Coordinates of all heavy atoms in Angstrom, one line a residue:
Chain A
W36 N 6.2 -5.2 -5.4 CA 4.9 -5.6 -5.9 C 4.0 -6.0 -4.7 O 4.5 -6.9 -3.9 CB 5.0 -6.7 -6.9 CG 5.4 -6.3 -8.3 CD1 6.6 -6.3 -8.8 CD2 4.5 -5.8 -9.3 NE1 6.5 -5.8 -10.1 CE2 5.2 -5.5 -10.4 CE3 3.1 -5.5 -9.3 CZ2 4.7 -4.9 -11.6 CZ3 2.6 -5.0 -10.5 CH2 3.4 -4.7 -11.6
Y37 N 2.9 -5.4 -4.6 CA 1.9 -5.8 -3.6 C 0.7 -6.4 -4.3 O 0.3 -6.0 -5.4 CB 1.4 -4.5 -2.8 CG 2.4 -4.1 -1.8 CD1 3.4 -3.1 -2.1 CD2 2.4 -4.6 -0.5 CE1 4.3 -2.6 -1.2 CE2 3.4 -4.1 0.5 CZ 4.3 -3.1 0.1 OH 5.2 -2.7 1.0
K38 N 0.1 -7.3 -3.6 CA -1.2 -8.0 -4.0 C -2.3 -7.5 -3.1 O -2.1 -7.5 -1.8 CB -1.0 -9.5 -3.9 CG -2.2 -10.3 -4.1 CD -1.9 -11.8 -3.9 CE -3.1 -12.7 -4.0 NZ -2.7 -14.1 -3.8
Q39 N -3.4 -7.2 -3.6 CA -4.6 -6.9 -2.8 C -5.8 -7.7 -3.3 O -6.4 -7.4 -4.3 CB -4.9 -5.4 -2.9 CG -6.0 -5.0 -1.9 CD -6.4 -3.5 -2.0 OE1 -6.5 -2.9 -3.1 NE2 -6.6 -2.9 -0.8
P40 N -6.0 -8.8 -2.6 CA -7.1 -9.7 -2.9 C -8.4 -9.1 -2.5 O -8.4 -8.0 -2.0 CB -6.8 -11.0 -2.1 CG -6.0 -10.5 -0.9 CD -5.2 -9.3 -1.4
P41 N -9.5 -9.7 -2.8 CA -10.9 -9.2 -2.5 C -11.0 -8.8 -1.0 O -11.8 -7.9 -0.7 CB -11.8 -10.3 -2.9 CG -11.1 -11.0 -4.0 CD -9.7 -11.0 -3.6
S42 N -10.3 -9.4 -0.1 CA -10.3 -9.0 1.3 C -9.8 -7.6 1.5 O -10.0 -7.0 2.6 CB -9.5 -10.0 2.1 OG -8.1 -9.9 1.8
R43 N -9.0 -7.1 0.6 CA -8.4 -5.8 0.6 C -7.2 -5.7 1.5 O -6.7 -4.6 1.7 CB -9.4 -4.7 0.9 CG -10.6 -4.7 -0.1 CD -11.5 -3.5 0.0 NE -10.9 -2.4 -0.7 CZ -11.6 -1.2 -0.9 NH1 -12.8 -1.1 -0.5 NH2 -11.0 -0.2 -1.5
Q44 N -6.7 -6.8 2.0 CA -5.5 -6.8 2.8 C -4.3 -6.7 1.8 O -4.2 -7.5 0.9 CB -5.3 -8.1 3.6 CG -4.0 -8.3 4.3 CD -3.8 -7.3 5.5 OE1 -4.5 -7.4 6.4 NE2 -2.7 -6.5 5.4
M45 N -3.4 -5.7 2.0 CA -2.3 -5.5 1.2 C -1.2 -6.6 1.6 O -0.8 -6.6 2.8 CB -1.7 -4.1 1.4 CG -2.6 -3.0 0.8 SD -2.7 -3.0 -1.0 CE -1.1 -2.3 -1.4
I46 N -0.7 -7.3 0.6 CA 0.2 -8.4 0.9 C 1.5 -8.1 0.0 O 1.3 -8.0 -1.2 CB -0.4 -9.7 0.5 CG1 -1.6 -10.0 1.3 CG2 0.6 -10.9 0.7 CD1 -2.5 -11.2 0.8
L47 N 2.6 -8.1 0.6 CA 3.9 -7.9 -0.1 C 4.2 -9.2 -0.9 O 4.2 -10.3 -0.3 CB 5.0 -7.6 0.8 CG 6.4 -7.5 0.2 CD1 6.4 -6.3 -0.8 CD2 7.5 -7.3 1.2
V48 N 4.3 -9.1 -2.2 CA 4.7 -10.2 -3.1 C 6.2 -10.4 -3.2 O 6.7 -11.5 -3.1 CB 4.0 -10.0 -4.4 CG1 4.4 -11.2 -5.4 CG2 2.5 -10.0 -4.3
I49 N 6.8 -9.2 -3.5 CA 8.2 -9.3 -3.8 C 8.9 -7.9 -3.7 O 8.2 -6.9 -3.9 CB 8.5 -9.9 -5.2 CG1 9.9 -10.5 -5.4 CG2 8.1 -8.9 -6.3 CD1 10.0 -11.5 -6.6
R50 N 10.1 -7.9 -3.4 CA 10.8 -6.7 -3.2 C 12.2 -6.7 -3.9 O 12.8 -7.8 -4.0 CB 11.1 -6.5 -1.7 CG 12.1 -5.5 -1.3 CD 12.3 -5.6 0.2 NE 13.5 -4.9 0.7 CZ 13.5 -4.1 1.7 NH1 12.4 -3.9 2.4 NH2 14.7 -3.5 2.0
Q51 N 12.6 -5.6 -4.5 CA 13.8 -5.5 -5.2 C 14.6 -4.3 -4.8 O 14.1 -3.2 -4.8 CB 13.6 -5.4 -6.8 CG 14.8 -5.2 -7.6 CD 15.6 -6.5 -7.9 OE1 15.0 -7.5 -8.2 NE2 16.9 -6.4 -7.8
E52 N 15.9 -4.5 -4.4 CA 16.7 -3.3 -4.1 C 17.4 -2.9 -5.4 O 17.9 -3.7 -6.2 CB 17.8 -3.8 -3.1 CG 17.3 -4.0 -1.7 CD 16.8 -5.5 -1.5 OE1 16.6 -6.2 -2.5 OE2 16.5 -5.9 -0.4
A53 N 17.4 -1.6 -5.7 CA 17.9 -1.1 -6.9 C 19.4 -1.4 -7.1 O 19.9 -1.5 -8.2 CB 17.7 0.4 -7.0
Y54 N 20.1 -1.5 -6.0 CA 21.6 -1.7 -6.1 C 21.9 -3.2 -6.5 O 23.1 -3.5 -6.8 CB 22.3 -1.3 -4.9 CG 22.0 -2.1 -3.6 CD1 22.6 -3.3 -3.3 CD2 21.0 -1.6 -2.7 CE1 22.3 -4.0 -2.2 CE2 20.7 -2.4 -1.6 CZ 21.3 -3.6 -1.4 OH 21.0 -4.3 -0.2
K55 N 20.9 -4.0 -6.4 CA 21.2 -5.4 -6.8 C 20.9 -5.7 -8.2 O 19.8 -5.3 -8.7 CB 20.3 -6.3 -5.9 CG 20.7 -6.4 -4.4 CD 19.9 -7.4 -3.7 CE 20.4 -7.5 -2.2 NZ 19.6 -8.5 -1.5
Q56 N 21.8 -6.2 -8.9 CA 21.6 -6.5 -10.4 C 20.7 -7.8 -10.5 O 20.0 -7.9 -11.5 CB 22.9 -6.7 -11.1 CG 23.7 -5.4 -11.2 CD 24.9 -5.6 -12.1 OE1 25.4 -6.7 -12.2 NE2 25.4 -4.5 -12.7
Q57 N 20.8 -8.7 -9.6 CA 20.1 -9.9 -9.7 C 18.6 -9.7 -9.4 O 18.2 -9.0 -8.5 CB 20.6 -11.0 -8.7 CG 20.0 -12.3 -8.8 CD 20.7 -13.4 -7.9 OE1 21.5 -13.0 -7.1 NE2 20.3 -14.6 -8.1
N58 N 17.8 -10.3 -10.3 CA 16.3 -10.1 -10.2 C 15.8 -11.0 -9.0 O 16.2 -12.1 -8.8 CB 15.6 -10.6 -11.4 CG 15.9 -9.7 -12.6 OD1 15.9 -8.4 -12.4 ND2 16.0 -10.2 -13.8
A59 N 14.9 -10.4 -8.2 CA 14.3 -11.0 -7.1 C 13.4 -12.1 -7.5 O 12.7 -12.0 -8.5 CB 13.6 -10.0 -6.2
T60 N 13.3 -13.2 -6.7 CA 12.5 -14.3 -7.0 C 11.9 -14.8 -5.6 O 12.6 -14.9 -4.6 CB 13.2 -15.5 -7.6 OG1 13.8 -15.0 -8.9 CG2 12.3 -16.7 -7.9
E61 N 10.6 -15.1 -5.7 CA 9.9 -15.7 -4.5 C 8.9 -16.7 -5.0 O 7.8 -16.5 -5.5 CB 9.1 -14.6 -3.8 CG 9.9 -13.6 -3.0 CD 10.5 -14.2 -1.7 OE1 10.1 -15.3 -1.3 OE2 11.5 -13.6 -1.2
N62 N 9.4 -18.0 -5.0 CA 8.6 -19.1 -5.5 C 8.1 -18.9 -6.9 O 9.0 -18.8 -7.8 CB 7.5 -19.3 -4.5 CG 7.9 -19.6 -3.1 OD1 8.8 -20.4 -2.9 ND2 7.4 -18.9 -2.1
R63 N 6.8 -18.7 -7.1 CA 6.3 -18.6 -8.5 C 6.4 -17.2 -9.0 O 6.0 -16.9 -10.2 CB 4.8 -19.1 -8.5 CG 4.6 -20.5 -8.1 CD 3.2 -20.9 -8.3 NE 2.3 -20.2 -7.3 CZ 1.5 -19.2 -7.6 NH1 1.3 -18.9 -8.8 NH2 0.7 -18.7 -6.6
F64 N 6.8 -16.3 -8.2 CA 6.9 -14.9 -8.5 C 8.3 -14.4 -8.8 O 9.2 -14.7 -8.0 CB 6.3 -14.0 -7.4 CG 4.8 -14.3 -7.1 CD1 4.5 -15.3 -6.2 CD2 3.8 -13.6 -7.8 CE1 3.2 -15.6 -5.9 CE2 2.5 -13.9 -7.5 CZ 2.2 -14.9 -6.6
S65 N 8.5 -13.7 -9.9 CA 9.9 -13.2 -10.2 C 9.7 -11.9 -10.9 O 8.6 -11.5 -11.4 CB 10.6 -14.2 -11.1 OG 10.0 -14.4 -12.3
V66 N 10.8 -11.1 -10.8 CA 10.7 -9.8 -11.5 C 11.8 -9.7 -12.5 O 12.8 -10.4 -12.5 CB 10.9 -8.6 -10.5 CG1 9.8 -8.6 -9.4 CG2 12.3 -8.7 -9.8
N67 N 11.5 -8.8 -13.5 CA 12.5 -8.4 -14.5 C 12.8 -6.9 -14.2 O 12.0 -6.1 -14.6 CB 12.0 -8.7 -15.9 CG 13.0 -8.3 -16.9 OD1 14.2 -8.0 -16.6 ND2 12.7 -8.5 -18.2
F68 N 13.9 -6.7 -13.6 CA 14.3 -5.3 -13.2 C 15.3 -4.8 -14.2 O 16.4 -5.3 -14.3 CB 14.9 -5.3 -11.8 CG 15.4 -4.0 -11.3 CD1 14.7 -2.8 -11.5 CD2 16.7 -4.0 -10.7 CE1 15.2 -1.6 -11.0 CE2 17.2 -2.7 -10.3 CZ 16.5 -1.6 -10.5
Q69 N 14.9 -3.8 -14.9 CA 15.8 -3.1 -15.9 C 16.0 -1.7 -15.4 O 15.2 -0.8 -15.7 CB 15.1 -3.1 -17.3 CG 14.8 -4.5 -17.8 CD 16.1 -5.3 -18.1 OE1 17.1 -4.7 -18.5 NE2 16.0 -6.6 -17.9
K70 N 17.1 -1.4 -14.7 CA 17.3 -0.2 -14.0 C 17.4 1.0 -15.0 O 16.9 2.1 -14.9 CB 18.5 -0.2 -13.1 CG 18.7 1.0 -12.2 CD 19.8 0.9 -11.2 CE 19.9 2.1 -10.3 NZ 21.0 1.9 -9.3
A71 N 18.2 0.8 -16.1 CA 18.4 1.8 -17.1 C 17.1 2.2 -17.7 O 16.8 3.4 -18.0 CB 19.4 1.4 -18.1
A72 N 16.3 1.2 -18.0 CA 15.0 1.5 -18.6 C 13.9 1.9 -17.6 O 12.8 2.2 -18.0 CB 14.5 0.2 -19.4
K73 N 14.2 1.8 -16.3 CA 13.3 2.1 -15.3 C 12.0 1.3 -15.4 O 10.9 1.8 -15.4 CB 13.0 3.6 -15.2 CG 14.2 4.4 -14.9 CD 13.9 5.9 -14.8 CE 15.2 6.6 -14.5 NZ 15.0 8.1 -14.5
S74 N 12.2 0.0 -15.5 CA 11.2 -1.0 -15.7 C 11.3 -2.1 -14.7 O 12.4 -2.5 -14.3 CB 11.3 -1.6 -17.1 OG 10.4 -2.7 -17.3
F75 N 10.1 -2.5 -14.2 CA 10.1 -3.5 -13.1 C 8.8 -4.4 -13.3 O 7.8 -4.1 -12.7 CB 10.0 -2.7 -11.8 CG 10.0 -3.6 -10.5 CD1 11.1 -4.4 -10.3 CD2 9.0 -3.5 -9.6 CE1 11.1 -5.2 -9.1 CE2 9.0 -4.3 -8.5 CZ 10.1 -5.1 -8.2
S76 N 8.9 -5.4 -14.1 CA 7.8 -6.2 -14.4 C 7.7 -7.4 -13.5 O 8.8 -7.9 -13.0 CB 7.8 -6.7 -15.8 OG 8.9 -7.4 -16.1
L77 N 6.5 -7.9 -13.2 CA 6.3 -9.1 -12.4 C 5.8 -10.3 -13.2 O 4.9 -10.1 -14.0 CB 5.2 -8.8 -11.3 CG 4.8 -9.9 -10.4 CD1 5.9 -10.4 -9.5 CD2 3.5 -9.6 -9.6
K78 N 6.5 -11.4 -13.1 CA 6.1 -12.6 -13.8 C 5.5 -13.6 -12.8 O 6.2 -13.9 -11.7 CB 7.3 -13.2 -14.5 CG 6.8 -14.4 -15.4 CD 7.9 -14.9 -16.3 CE 8.9 -15.8 -15.5 NZ 9.9 -16.5 -16.5
I79 N 4.3 -14.1 -13.0 CA 3.7 -15.1 -12.2 C 3.6 -16.4 -13.0 O 3.0 -16.4 -14.1 CB 2.3 -14.7 -11.8 CG1 2.3 -13.3 -11.1 CG2 1.7 -15.7 -10.8 CD1 0.9 -12.7 -10.8
S80 N 4.3 -17.4 -12.5 CA 4.3 -18.7 -13.2 C 3.3 -19.6 -12.6 O 3.0 -19.4 -11.4 CB 5.7 -19.3 -13.1 OG 6.7 -18.4 -13.6
D81 N 2.9 -20.5 -13.4 CA 1.9 -21.6 -12.9 C 0.8 -20.9 -12.1 O 0.5 -21.1 -10.9 CB 2.7 -22.5 -11.9 CG 1.8 -23.7 -11.5 OD1 0.8 -24.0 -12.2 OD2 2.1 -24.2 -10.4
S82 N 0.1 -20.0 -12.7 CA -0.9 -19.1 -12.1 C -2.0 -20.0 -11.4 O -2.4 -21.1 -11.9 CB -1.6 -18.2 -13.1 OG -0.7 -17.3 -13.7
Q83 N -2.4 -19.5 -10.2 CA -3.4 -20.2 -9.4 C -4.6 -19.3 -9.2 O -4.5 -18.1 -9.3 CB -2.8 -20.7 -8.1 CG -1.6 -21.6 -8.2 CD -0.9 -21.9 -6.9 OE1 -1.4 -21.4 -5.8 NE2 0.1 -22.7 -7.0
L84 N -5.7 -20.0 -9.0 CA -7.0 -19.2 -8.8 C -6.8 -18.1 -7.6 O -7.3 -17.1 -7.7 CB -8.1 -20.1 -8.5 CG -8.6 -21.0 -9.6 CD1 -9.7 -21.9 -9.2 CD2 -9.0 -20.2 -10.9
G85 N -6.0 -18.5 -6.7 CA -5.8 -17.6 -5.5 C -4.9 -16.4 -5.9 O -4.8 -15.5 -5.1
D86 N -4.4 -16.4 -7.1 CA -3.6 -15.2 -7.5 C -4.5 -14.1 -8.0 O -4.0 -13.0 -8.3 CB -2.6 -15.6 -8.6 CG -1.6 -16.6 -8.2 OD1 -1.2 -16.6 -7.0 OD2 -1.1 -17.3 -9.0
T87 N -5.8 -14.4 -8.2 CA -6.7 -13.3 -8.6 C -6.7 -12.2 -7.6 O -7.0 -12.4 -6.4 CB -8.1 -13.9 -8.7 OG1 -8.1 -14.9 -9.8 CG2 -9.2 -12.9 -9.0
A88 N -6.4 -11.0 -8.0 CA -6.3 -9.9 -7.1 C -5.9 -8.6 -7.9 O -5.6 -8.7 -9.1 CB -5.2 -10.1 -6.1
M89 N -5.9 -7.5 -7.2 CA -5.3 -6.3 -7.7 C -3.8 -6.4 -7.4 O -3.4 -6.8 -6.3 CB -5.9 -5.0 -7.1 CG -7.2 -4.6 -7.7 SD -7.0 -3.9 -9.3 CE -6.2 -2.4 -9.0
Y90 N -3.0 -6.0 -8.3 CA -1.5 -5.9 -8.1 C -1.0 -4.5 -8.3 O -1.3 -3.9 -9.3 CB -0.8 -6.9 -9.1 CG -1.0 -8.3 -8.7 CD1 -2.1 -9.0 -9.1 CD2 0.0 -9.0 -7.9 CE1 -2.3 -10.3 -8.7 CE2 -0.2 -10.3 -7.6 CZ -1.4 -11.0 -8.0 OH -1.6 -12.3 -7.6
F91 N -0.3 -4.0 -7.2 CA 0.2 -2.7 -7.3 C 1.7 -2.7 -7.3 O 2.4 -3.4 -6.4 CB -0.3 -1.9 -6.0 CG -1.7 -1.6 -6.0 CD1 -2.6 -2.4 -5.2 CD2 -2.3 -0.6 -6.8 CE1 -3.9 -2.1 -5.2 CE2 -3.6 -0.3 -6.7 CZ -4.5 -1.1 -5.9
C92 N 2.3 -2.0 -8.1 CA 3.7 -1.7 -8.2 C 4.0 -0.5 -7.3 O 3.2 0.5 -7.3 CB 4.2 -1.5 -9.6 SG 5.9 -1.1 -9.8
A93 N 5.1 -0.5 -6.5 CA 5.3 0.6 -5.6 C 6.8 0.9 -5.5 O 7.7 0.0 -5.7 CB 4.8 0.3 -4.2
F94 N 7.1 2.2 -5.3 CA 8.5 2.7 -5.3 C 8.8 3.3 -3.9 O 7.9 4.0 -3.4 CB 8.6 3.7 -6.4 CG 9.9 4.5 -6.4 CD1 10.9 4.1 -7.3 CD2 10.1 5.6 -5.6 CE1 12.1 4.8 -7.4 CE2 11.3 6.3 -5.6 CZ 12.3 5.9 -6.5
M95 N 10.0 3.2 -3.4 CA 10.4 3.8 -2.2 C 11.8 4.2 -2.3 O 12.7 3.4 -2.7 CB 10.2 2.9 -1.0 CG 10.4 3.5 0.4 SD 9.8 2.5 1.7 CE 11.0 1.2 1.7
T96 N 12.2 5.4 -1.8 CA 13.5 5.9 -2.0 C 14.6 5.3 -1.2 O 15.7 5.0 -1.6 CB 13.6 7.4 -1.8 OG1 13.1 7.7 -0.5 CG2 12.8 8.2 -2.9
D97 N 14.2 4.9 0.1 CA 15.2 4.2 0.9 C 14.4 3.5 2.0 O 13.2 3.6 2.1 CB 16.3 5.2 1.5 CG 15.7 6.3 2.3 OD1 14.8 6.0 3.2 OD2 16.0 7.4 2.1
T98 N 15.1 2.8 2.9 CA 14.4 2.1 3.9 C 14.4 2.8 5.2 O 14.1 2.1 6.2 CB 15.1 0.7 4.1 OG1 16.4 0.9 4.4 CG2 14.9 -0.2 2.8
G99 N 14.6 4.1 5.2 CA 14.4 4.8 6.5 C 12.9 4.7 6.9 O 12.0 4.5 6.0
T100 N 12.7 4.7 8.2 CA 11.3 4.5 8.6 C 10.3 5.5 8.1 O 9.1 5.2 8.1 CB 11.3 4.4 10.2 OG1 11.8 5.7 10.7 CG2 12.1 3.3 10.7
A101 N 10.7 6.7 7.7 CA 9.8 7.7 7.3 C 9.7 7.7 5.8 O 9.0 8.6 5.2 CB 10.2 9.1 7.7
S102 N 10.2 6.7 5.1 CA 10.1 6.7 3.6 C 8.7 6.3 3.2 O 8.1 5.4 3.6 CB 11.1 5.6 3.1 OG 12.4 6.0 3.4
K103 N 8.3 7.1 2.2 CA 7.0 6.9 1.7 C 7.0 5.9 0.5 O 7.9 5.8 -0.2 CB 6.4 8.3 1.1 CG 6.4 9.4 2.1 CD 5.9 10.7 1.4 CE 6.0 11.9 2.4 NZ 5.6 13.1 1.7
L104 N 5.8 5.3 0.3 CA 5.6 4.5 -0.8 C 4.8 5.2 -1.9 O 3.8 5.9 -1.5 CB 4.8 3.2 -0.4 CG 5.6 2.0 0.2 CD1 4.6 1.0 0.7 CD2 6.5 1.4 -0.9
T105 N 5.2 5.1 -3.1 CA 4.5 5.7 -4.2 C 3.9 4.5 -5.0 O 4.7 3.7 -5.5 CB 5.3 6.6 -5.1 OG1 5.9 7.6 -4.3 CG2 4.5 7.1 -6.3
F106 N 2.6 4.4 -5.1 CA 1.9 3.3 -5.8 C 1.6 3.6 -7.2 O 1.3 4.8 -7.6 CB 0.7 2.9 -5.0 CG 0.9 2.2 -3.7 CD1 1.0 2.9 -2.5 CD2 1.1 0.9 -3.7 CE1 1.2 2.3 -1.3 CE2 1.3 0.2 -2.5 CZ 1.4 0.9 -1.3

Side-chain angles (χ1 to χ4, degrees):
Chain A
W36 278 98
Y37 283 92
K38 168 184 177 180
Q39 188 180 41
S42 68
R43 304 190 78 170
Q44 170 73 58
M45 294 289 284
I46 301 167
L47 178 63
V48 175
I49 201 164
R50 161 188 168 133
Q51 175 80 44
E52 291 85 349
Y54 64 84
K55 290 186 177 179
Q56 291 186 335
Q57 187 173 7
N58 289 325
T60 298
E61 288 288 341
N62 300 313
R63 298 183 294 108
F64 300 87
S65 62
V66 298
N67 183 2
F68 173 48
Q69 301 291 328
K70 190 173 184 179
K73 296 181 181 176
S74 171
F75 182 61
S76 61
L77 174 70
K78 186 172 81 171
I79 306 174
S80 304
D81 186 25
S82 297
Q83 300 175 359
L84 294 178
D86 296 333
T87 293
M89 279 290 289
Y90 286 82
F91 293 101
C92 178
F94 173 101
M95 185 167 70
T96 53
D97 59 48
T98 55
T100 57
S102 295
K103 303 177 187 178
L104 278 169
T105 301
F106 286 94

